[in-house]
Amino acid sequence: MAEKILFIYNHRSGRGHAAENAQAVASELAQAGTVVALPVDFKADPFDGHDDAATVVVSGGDGTVNYVVNRMKARGLNPRLGVIPSGTANDFAHALGMSNDPVKAARQIVSGEVRQVDCGSVNGLRFVNVFSFGLFTTTSQHTSDRRKHRLGKMAYIIEGIKEMRRMHGVPLHLSTGSGEFDTEILMALIFNGETAGGFRLARNSSIHDGRFECLLLRKRNFFSSCWAMLLHLLGCKSRGVIHISSDRIEITSPLNEPTDVDGQKGPEFPLLIECLHYDLQVIVPTKK
């Protein structure tokens, strides 16, 4: 009996291209098993009636992958996971080495190999790429699908500029395996992967090493903070950016700052962030 492949696609991703390519992708996947194609419904559980799927393939951005992974883990399931990039940034899919062409990515899944990769957890909620709070980090939540479809990554930049008007410091107490300290930051990024919004920010991060790379942008005056982030983007060291590498971070704050997991609304403070080593089995392209 052919194994069951659950193909979940976000019909709004990639300016609607995910829906346009759904049939072609399903045809490619059918070479490896019996395909059940399902448009994502964020108010429903995609595994209702499908928890016997041996492989789950997700076509969408990081937010869609995040939703499917959380529903999957909530039911105690651990199928093989394939990702077809069709969102705006697709950071997790790129970390796996997937092609930007959806049909080629489907072929990579059919002929690919299974690898174990890390997954993040914050207050029990999974994230595959990045958890964040502070300046710019809820930009994805506030950027409309219409604007993303029309402008692509530029939509995030426009929304980020608007968020600068609400810039404020967030006092934190952090506890890691190497100690505790207090600081005040403008932005916090905890990476499982390397990129956020397509920008390579966590150069020492890996989805295989069982640790996070945490970047904290210190609160200083506007010019100093912007200069510190620019230096980091250019690969230079700056005292304005705190680097932490850990597999567990506890964070408290007198403010209940909004948080973000892979572009979706995240949990409230206080925060317990853990790296779940090899929590996911994913399909990656076979190395030539």
Side-chain angles (χ1 to χ4, degrees), residues 4 6 45-54 56 75 77-79:
K4 182 175 181 178
L6 181 59
D45 190 329
F47 293 96
D48 285 343
H50 303 295
D51 56 4
D52 58 338
V56 176
R75 295 181 80 125
L77 304 176
N78 192 34

Side-chain angles (χ1 to χ4, degrees), residues 119-224:
C119 188
S121 171
V122 52
N123 294 2
L125 185 67
R126 297 298 206 283
F127 62 95
V128 295
N129 189 60
V130 63
F131 168 71
S132 59
F133 57 90
L135 185 64
F136 302 139
T137 59
T138 57
T139 295
S140 179
Q141 297 176 35
H142 298 152
T143 307
S144 68
D145 287 336
R146 182 179 179 184
R147 179 171 287 180
K148 284 190 285 187
H149 293 168
R150 189 171 73 250
L151 300 175
K153 294 180 184 178
M154 182 59 67
Y156 291 142
I157 296 175
I158 293 172
E159 187 63 38
I161 293 172
K162 289 162 58 177
E163 285 197 11
M164 290 180 71
R165 295 176 296 181
R166 302 188 291 270
M167 184 171 66
H168 62 277
V170 182
L172 301 178
H173 178 79
L174 293 94
S175 175
T176 71
S178 58
E180 301 183 25
F181 66 95
D182 296 298
T183 187
E184 187 173 11
I185 59 99
L186 291 176
M187 177 172 60
L189 299 165
I190 294 90
F191 283 93
N192 185 44
E194 296 181 11
T195 62
F199 296 97
R200 189 165 180 258
L201 299 174
R203 295 175 179 83
N204 298 318
S205 182
S206 168
I207 56 176
H208 304 284
D209 62 2
R211 302 178 70 82
F212 294 127
E213 183 174 355
C214 177
L215 304 180
L216 304 173
L217 178 63
R218 296 180 190 269
K219 182 183 182 301
R220 294 180 170 177
N221 63 58
F222 177 77
F223 176 79
S224 296

